Amino acid sequence: MIVDSHVHYGKSLWGDFSPEYLLEIIDSSVDFAICSNLEGIDSPDFKSEDVCNLEMIEVSKKYPKLKPLYVCQPNLSDSVETARIFLEKYPEIIGLKIHPECMKLPADSEKYDKYLELAREFKKPCLYHSGHIKSRFSSPELIYKKAQEFPDVPIILGHLSTGPKQAHVRAIEILLDSIENERATLYVDTSWIDFIGEKLNETYDDTLMLIESLKNTSKGDYTSRILWASDCPVGCFNQDRESYRRNLEIFKAKVMEKFQDKALLENILINNAKNLYRF
């Protein structure tokens, strides 16, 4: 079994991605994929919170391989009543999806607080798009600042940081600080970390640096905080079955070559996501 912890469907500025198109790409490579609807995030046919999330629920019922995330739109409303209704009515929602960059809403804004309070109440992890370390909307620095206000809510740094190595190094420092000083419950997914200009760095250097760092914290092994993910079908390297499968196989080979630890690899590919999202 393998879990892809970050995928999407929907009409987007990146392309028009039907659920069937997504499933054709991931195919038999993975058993479950944690999914959100791009039409509530980044779309020429932008949809409101209630509409985009109801469509996500319907898609997940049709295709149980897709585990739904609830897309949050705190930039558009001060009320979380819609989100509360969905979380009460649809227990299959396994977490919240927050994209500060697309909303142009800094990740440390108080507008996120009510959603994070709901996440705490319903025990749902929050997957954030974490952008470049210098982004004024989605920097891991800003996400960490807000995470410290909700230290018991698991918050996932999607992509670690969409920047070069120095951005990844700083994001890893943030993860380590959160662990070693018990300031927040931060996780990280591996999507885009070793892709530069949509070309894979096949050494997976930065991902291996991340694993090595969390394996050797002052508090012990915290690789349980790492989730394998692709962000499929965003990015040309995620838009055909063979590329997707090849990228996954290279990832598996590089982790085994470096650490010689099958249990570590299985945890990153499967168990960490299942334990976090409880499915």
Side-chain angles (χ1 to χ4, degrees):
M1 178 181 291
I2 294 178
V3 178
D4 189 334
S5 292
H6 193 154
V7 305
H8 305 280
Y9 82 93
K11 185 176 290 185
S12 161
L13 299 178
W14 291 86
D16 189 351
F17 309 129
S18 69
E20 293 78 14
Y21 177 72
L22 167 65
L23 289 163
E24 180 181 337
I25 294 168
I26 65 178
D27 192 38
S28 60
S29 294
V30 302
D31 299 273
F32 295 103
I34 297 169
C35 187
S36 57
N37 185 353
L38 285 168
E39 292 174 8
I41 300 172
D42 161 22
S43 177
D45 294 337
F46 188 82
K47 293 177 178 174
S48 63
E49 197 170 294
D50 56 341
V51 173
C52 79
N53 285 302
L54 184 57
E55 289 182 359
M56 180 72 255
I57 294 296
E58 291 169 350
V59 165
S60 70
K61 287 180 176 178
K62 185 175 181 181
Y63 302 113
K65 187 171 189 169
L66 302 179
K67 299 290 185 181
L69 295 178
Y70 183 93
V71 171
C72 303
Q73 297 176 350
N75 58 320
L76 300 180
S77 174
D78 292 328
S79 172
V80 293
E81 190 56 30
T82 297
R84 174 175 291 281
I85 291 168
F86 268 78
L87 292 174
E88 289 174 345
K89 186 174 182 179
Y90 303 109
E92 60 265 41
I93 295 172
I94 62 172
L96 306 184
K97 169 66 176 178
I98 297 174
H99 202 305
E101 196 71 34
C102 284
M103 290 186 287
K104 305 304 179 194
L105 182 66
D108 62 347
S109 168
E110 64 183 15
K111 285 181 172 289
Y112 293 100
D113 290 2
K114 291 181 180 179
Y115 286 96
L116 291 168
E117 288 164 4
L118 277 182
R120 173 188 284 154
E121 178 181 346
F122 287 89
K123 296 180 168 50
K124 303 294 184 183
C126 298
L127 171 58
Y128 275 70
H129 168 91
S130 63
H132 193 283
I133 199 70
K134 294 183 179 179
S135 169
R136 61 193 179 99
F137 300 116
S138 61
S139 167
E141 301 269 12
L142 297 176
I143 297 171
Y144 185 32
K145 182 178 177 183
K146 179 58 65 177
Q148 290 176 76
E149 298 175 28
F150 296 86
D152 53 338
V153 176
I155 289 179
I156 304 144
L157 299 179
H159 322 303
L160 181 62
S161 170
T162 57
K165 181 176 284 289
Q166 57 265 36
H168 295 154
V169 168
R170 178 60 191 135
I172 290 170
E173 290 172 353
I174 289 169
L175 285 162
L176 291 174
D177 186 71
S178 74
I179 292 165
E180 293 172 348
N181 295 296
E182 300 181 357
R183 290 182 170 143
T185 307
L186 292 184
Y187 285 72
V188 60
D189 82 36
T190 64
S191 60
W192 281 89
I193 293 177
D194 283 288
F195 288 86
I196 302 171
E198 298 202 15
K199 181 176 176 59
L200 173 63
N201 174 6
E202 294 191 5
T203 65
Y204 271 100
D205 283 344
D206 287 10
T207 300
L208 297 177
M209 174 177 64
L210 166 67
I211 297 170
E212 181 78 32
S213 298
L214 266 61
K215 188 176 177 64
N216 295 291
T217 79
S218 65
K219 295 288 184 72
D221 186 340
Y222 270 77
T223 53
S224 59
R225 299 284 183 91
I226 304 172
L227 315 174
W228 177 76
S230 70
D231 203 23
C232 180
V234 175
C236 65
F237 53 86
N238 274 324
Q239 293 178 1
D240 69 84
R241 186 186 306 171
E242 292 310 312
S243 295
Y244 181 90
R245 183 175 297 167
R246 179 175 180 273
N247 295 338
L248 174 56
E249 291 305 315
I250 295 172
F251 175 87
K252 289 157 65 174
K254 290 299 179 181
V255 172
M256 283 302 297
E257 178 184 316
K258 170 74 174 177
F259 298 103
Q260 298 295 309
D261 188 338
K262 186 176 180 181
L264 169 68
L265 179 61
E266 288 181 353
N267 287 338
I268 293 171
L269 292 174
I270 311 163
N271 298 323
N272 295 347
K274 292 190 70 178
N275 292 337
L276 173 61
Y277 284 106
R278 295 179 296 142
F279 67 88

